[in-house]
Amino acid sequence: MRRDAPCVSVRASSSPVREDLLSHILRELRLDSATYRSLLLRGDWRLRFDGPLRGVHIVVSGHPHLALDDGTTHALAPGDLVILPRADAHTMCSSRDSRARPYSSLVLAERSPDVEAQFGDAGEETRIVCGVFFFADDDHPAVAGLPSCIHVPADAQLNPWLDGLTTALVTEAVERGPGSEVVMARLSDALVTRALRHHLETADEPGWLHGLRDPAVSRALAALHGDLGRAWTVAGLAKEAGLSRTAFAARFTQLVGQSPMEYVFGCRMRRAQALLRTDRLTVEAVAAQVGYGSDAALSAAFVRFAGVTPGAYRKQQVLA
């Protein structure tokens, strides 16, 4: 049974702490975008996006439907933006009642070398500009807490930022010119970031974005990400949040989707990996930066996480 899930947007203010933390985590994720292309679709059609790519769809014209594999559907309209941060497989079709056979979006792209790919010979036209983006740190603990789908409706009052970004991106995707790849990448990064902020302000599903909406949990997250080297405990995080240990642990787990110390462990290991890849720090120095008192303590934790010692991991990265 399908569940229509049109986005309901509510203007909400974000505190500087929440916005700074969102920026901090996005820098850790290292957002990067690939090129965009236009799809001109005619008549009754159904496109299958099997991924695994984190997709972006901008509806230029038409009223297509998007369906996730879990049965959730979104009715789309011109100007709408859809982001799929977890690279979930999905289907887009000309209408909810489409009877067309699914056609692979990858095959369509391969058979259409031009900037614009076309499908169908006659009938009502739908134009969608599609792109993908990547996180350089796919295993960051925040990634698991991203939503499966963000639908931002084209509503000038509720989302006044949307039209300017999508119009500029669509123009570059269609017209192209010197420097277009760079322009599209910058616009796409801004679009994805604003969509994540939109989700932060309006959605209720678990994940670190939802945690940022809660003043107590967001204070704890900001303190943690600001000083991973501190000897964090649930009690210490609870103090930052201004809650009892029990109340904080329950609220954090409910909102973020994992326990506080599971989240701390994941953050420390991902930071350790980043330091081992990019800096010439000793393992002992890395251990100090991510909250372990010795290289032996870090090594034991790192082996549990990555299956190899920090030194072996560093050698693997050098040889890769």
Side-chain angles (χ1 to χ4, degrees):
M1 180 176 180
R2 293 182 304 185
R3 295 178 282 116
D4 285 329
C7 249
V8 177
S9 300
V10 179
R11 289 299 299 276
S13 60
S14 293
S15 71
V17 170
R18 296 178 199 171
E19 291 188 5
D20 288 346
L21 182 53
L22 178 60
S23 298
H24 181 93
I25 293 177
L26 287 175
R27 280 194 293 271
E28 290 183 350
L29 293 173
R30 288 172 290 159
L31 175 66
D32 191 19
S33 300
T35 190
Y36 283 68
R37 67 185 313 177
S38 176
L39 306 182
L40 179 58
L41 309 156
R42 299 184 179 92
D44 189 20
W45 54 269
R46 182 181 295 269
L47 278 182
R48 179 67 181 167
F49 295 83
D50 284 320
L53 297 172
R54 306 181 196 278
V56 180
H57 300 301
I58 302 170
V59 181
V60 180
S61 63
H63 291 81
H65 270 64
L66 181 145
L68 296 171
D69 286 0
D70 67 2
T72 302
T73 67
H74 294 268
L76 308 178
D80 283 9
L81 168 70
V82 177
I83 307 283
L84 295 111
R86 293 205 311 243
D88 291 61
H90 57 286
T91 300
M92 295 190 74
C93 53
S94 53
S95 70
R96 177 188 298 180
D97 302 320
S98 172
R99 297 180 179 275
R101 295 180 60 183
Y103 192 82
S104 169
S105 62
L106 293 176
V107 173
L108 177 61
E110 291 170 356
R111 293 182 177 179
S112 306
D114 298 330
V115 170
E116 181 172 81
Q118 299 188 21
F119 185 78
D121 298 322
E124 184 176 351
E125 291 187 352
T126 299
R127 189 185 301 273
I128 305 170
V129 169
C130 301
V132 297
F133 67 99
F134 306 93
F135 292 129
D137 192 355
D138 269 338
D139 295 323
H140 191 288
V143 173
L146 290 172
S148 58
C149 182
I150 301 174
H151 173 198
V152 186
D155 187 314
Q157 289 188 323
L158 295 178
N159 306 306
W161 53 270
L162 181 60
D163 182 65
L165 286 175
T166 55
T167 298
L169 186 50
V170 167
T171 298
E172 288 295 332
V174 173
E175 296 183 358
R176 300 297 171 98
S180 279
E181 296 294 329
V182 175
V183 173
M184 284 190 289
R186 300 296 180 270
L187 289 170
S188 177
D189 292 352
L191 199 63
V192 172
T193 301
R194 288 304 302 261
L196 290 172
R197 187 194 297 178
H198 168 87
H199 185 84
L200 160 64
E201 295 174 346
T202 62
D204 292 321
E205 63 184 281
W208 62 269
L209 281 173
H210 193 195
L212 295 189
R213 292 179 59 188
D214 182 270
V217 172
S218 68
R219 285 193 297 270
L221 285 170
L224 168 63
H225 282 275
D227 186 9
L228 274 180
R230 185 168 160 184
W232 289 110
T233 62
V234 176
L237 290 168
K239 184 177 180 180
E240 295 288 342
L243 297 173
S244 71
R245 183 184 183 282
T246 301
F248 169 74
R251 184 181 297 188
F252 189 99
T253 302
Q254 177 186 14
L255 295 178
V256 179
Q258 56 186 151
S259 73
M261 296 316 294
E262 285 175 337
Y263 187 86
V264 170
F265 178 72
C267 288
R268 284 174 167 169
M269 293 299 98
R270 297 310 301 166
R271 178 71 64 82
Q273 286 183 321
L275 292 172
L276 291 166
R277 283 196 304 264
T278 60
D279 291 345
R280 294 185 178 277
L281 298 175
T282 64
V283 174
E284 186 176 7
V286 172
Q289 289 203 24
V290 298
Y292 289 89
S294 66
D295 55 355
L298 172 63
S299 293
F302 199 87
V303 168
R304 292 202 315 272
F305 178 78
V308 295
T309 65
Y313 177 82
R314 173 172 275 166
K315 289 180 181 178
Q316 289 175 355
Q317 301 307 303
V318 170
L319 296 174

